[in-house]
Each structure stands twice: as C-alpha cells, then as structure tokens.
Amino acid sequence: MIRFYWNEEPILSNVPTYMLYRKVDFEFAMDHLRDLVVKEVHGAGGYGMLIGPAASGEELEVFRQRIIAAPERYIAQPTLALSTCPTFATSGLSPRHIDLRPYVLSGKDVEIVPGGLTRVALREGSLVVNSSQGGGTKDTWVLAE
C-alpha cells in the first residue's frame, strides 16, 4: 500500500509468512512449529490458530496433523514480540500486549488519520488481541499540531 499510494519504500518490513502448501515452507514449519504462529488462511477472529511457544506438546501434535492433512489451509509466521501498554486489570495497572490498527480514509484522496484503534490482549501474558478471543480495544490518539 505504501508503494502504491505514496510511491515510497516501506520503512518496516512485512512479517515473514510461510505458505504451507509450498514444500520448503511446509518443511520449515514442521521443523519449527514450537516457534511459530500458525493460522488458517480463511480464519478470522483468532480462531483456528496455534501459538507455538504457548502450546502444549499435545496441542502441537494435533495441529501438526491438521497441517499435514491440508497444508494449503495454513500459513505460519514467527511469533512477534508485541509491545505492551499499561492496562487496568482486576489486579490494578498491569502491562498487556497490544497491536495498532491505523485509520485510513479513502475517497478522492487517501488520508491517514492521526491515531487508530489499539487492540489489547486482556489476559495476562496472552498475545491474542482479537476481541472474540478475550481481547479488548483502546482508542489511540496522536497529538500533533
């Protein structure tokens, strides 16, 4: 999108994504399943995914069999170290993992609005920010002239 709309090179790289229908990607994922996040290509809301570092041996094996049965249904990515922000929890103020969804207004012109929607993993230690999986949201404001 940056190249298309601004004719510039992105500053940040995309997360490496392994397409498990490709033999080399499949083999890599099978060898590194404990370190990866695996998602269904048509999944949504955090359902049908595996977070390797948080999974039990049994969960890893069940997911491994799903991938073997239908590798075209899955992608894998490295587990990211999401930022945290102070969040009110039952125990008081506590760090929770977050990701940011910027707002982009598209019409005759394209404008990136200062701020966005921050998705929050409300469960302590969780990396899942989807609201359907127990996550929450925060407004994010960028103060600028």
Side-chain angles (χ1 to χ4, degrees), residues 12-68:
L12 300 174
S13 301
N14 284 330
V15 176
T17 301
Y18 303 98
M19 312 300 281
L20 301 190
Y21 66 85
R22 297 180 187 150
K23 185 176 192 248
V24 66
D25 289 357
F26 174 85
E27 290 171 355
F28 177 84
M30 291 295 102
D31 290 343
H32 298 91
L33 200 55
R34 175 158 296 287
D35 303 316
L36 299 170
V37 173
V38 182
K39 305 173 187 177
E40 291 182 321
V41 294
H42 298 300
Y47 294 102
M49 64 185 280
L50 171 82
I51 300 177
S56 69
E58 182 180 337
E59 290 168 323
L60 287 167
E61 189 53 36
V62 166
F63 227 88
R64 181 182 307 279
Q65 295 309 315
R66 288 182 192 165
I67 295 167
I68 290 169

